[in-house]
Amino acid sequence: MERWKGRVALVTGASVGIGAAVARALVQHGMKVVGCARNVDKIEKLAAECQSAGYSGTLIPYKCDLSCEEDILSMFSAIKTLHQGVDVCINNAGLAHNEPLLSGKTDGWRNMIDVNVLALSICTREAYQSMKERNVDDGHIININSMGGHRMVPSADEHFYCATKYAVTALTEGLRQELREAKTRIRATCISPGIVETEFAFRHHNSDPEKAAAVYESIKCLKAQDIASAVTYVLGAPPHVQIGDVQMRPVEQVS
């Protein structure tokens, strides 16, 4: 991770859970981290904690609604003005709604596509263009995916969400191929966790907190820090090593 000191990383969905853990880890390793979310109060608190802890990097909160392309483009413009550009892009933001295929609301489906697929793709495009215009040839784009992007969960509430995560799997491999065609050494990686104990289930099952709690009580889950460790492992790999897909589950998780 030594070569990343002082360089700029963007972490989407950085206010809680995996995003917050990744942002903290990168700041510990000396990076300038732009952490974005719709609500930056928690990111501001995390930034203060990182500063108090004496971490060598910095965390810069940025308010951004990832379902709005104008917000994303404005964020990248601000990063260019203030920090020259993005060297590492961590597409972490994602959400799920209980909207089955046979009875789900179109608005819920659209919101999942907007954040899980389109926002990820827009951020990827803008990060690559930022690297290209500055002749950065060792950048890295990491998509935080899900095991739901590799097998279908047998639950109607999860099916559309899984479809968006299958898209992330395909987009990451497509990105890798396009980067090779462009003859760049910029790398693309997909990290696919199983069950991680965060606020995700409580947001997903917001009308049934007992169901959400049961998700995390059934087995010893992964922690957000486990995913952050995977991110730093991937970033720390030698520049000639392409780690394409990291799948990680709790030992007790069946599928």
Side-chain angles (χ1 to χ4, degrees):
M1 289 295 292
E2 190 67 26
R3 69 190 178 90
W4 294 112
K5 281 191 174 180
R7 300 184 70 180
V8 179
L10 169 66
V11 179
T12 67
S15 60
V16 295
I18 293 171
V22 170
R24 179 190 291 273
L26 298 184
V27 172
Q28 280 183 281
H29 284 284
M31 296 193 75
K32 295 178 183 176
V33 179
V34 177
C36 78
R38 285 178 299 174
N39 189 322
V40 295
D41 291 348
K42 291 181 180 178
I43 305 177
E44 290 172 346
K45 182 180 177 182
L46 178 59
E49 290 173 3
C50 290
Q51 186 174 18
S52 297
Y55 296 158
S56 56
T58 55
L59 176 57
I60 303 106
Y62 194 94
K63 184 179 178 64
C64 180
D65 180 355
L66 290 166
S67 65
C68 174
E69 183 174 9
E70 290 75 14
D71 267 24
I72 298 173
L73 297 180
S74 177
M75 173 176 67
F76 273 91
S77 178
I79 293 172
K80 179 178 180 178
T81 300
L82 298 172
H83 309 290
Q84 285 72 59
V86 170
D87 301 308
V88 172
C89 180
I90 314 289
N91 286 310
N92 165 74
L95 51 81
H97 297 298
N98 297 334
E99 303 293 355
L101 301 178
L102 299 182
S103 59
K105 297 182 180 63
T106 305
D107 284 349
W109 294 344
R110 184 176 290 113
N111 189 221
M112 284 186 271
I113 289 174
D114 284 345
V115 175
N116 299 0
V117 180
L118 285 178
L120 176 145
S121 299
I122 296 166
C123 287
T124 295
R125 180 191 67 202
E126 297 304 311
Y128 170 71
Q129 293 298 331
S130 172
M131 296 173 198
K132 182 181 177 182
E133 69 183 19
R134 293 176 296 121
N135 295 314
V136 170
D137 198 43
D138 65 342
H140 209 136
I141 297 167
I142 299 176
N143 294 330
I144 304 300
N145 195 1
S146 166
M147 285 305 302
H150 301 274
R151 83 285 187 269
M152 187 60 69
V153 177
S155 168
D157 290 345
E158 314 289 341
H159 290 161
F160 198 94
Y161 168 76
C162 285
T164 67
K165 290 303 184 177
Y166 266 83
V168 173
T169 302
L171 289 167
T172 307
E173 175 57 16
L175 172 63
R176 186 194 69 80
Q177 293 182 16
E178 290 191 25
L179 290 170
R180 297 294 73 74
E181 290 170 6
K183 300 190 185 316
T184 173
R185 298 181 69 84
I186 296 168
R187 297 182 291 180
T189 300
C190 183
I191 296 179
S192 301
I195 301 174
V196 186
E197 188 172 357
T198 64
E199 295 183 6
F200 187 88
F202 289 97
R203 291 180 173 182
H204 183 26
H205 302 293
N206 57 5
S207 62
D208 191 350
E210 290 186 5
K211 184 175 182 179
V215 172
Y216 298 138
E217 290 170 359
S218 59
I219 60 173
K220 183 174 177 58
C221 301
L222 298 176
K223 303 295 185 184
Q225 182 55 47
D226 297 325
I227 317 309
S229 295
V231 169
T232 55
Y233 169 75
V234 165
L235 283 173
H240 70 283
V241 176
Q242 170 76 61
I243 300 174
D245 189 11
V246 178
Q247 296 184 25
M248 47 197 303
R249 298 176 176 91
V251 170
E252 299 171 75
Q253 186 172 339
V254 175
S255 63

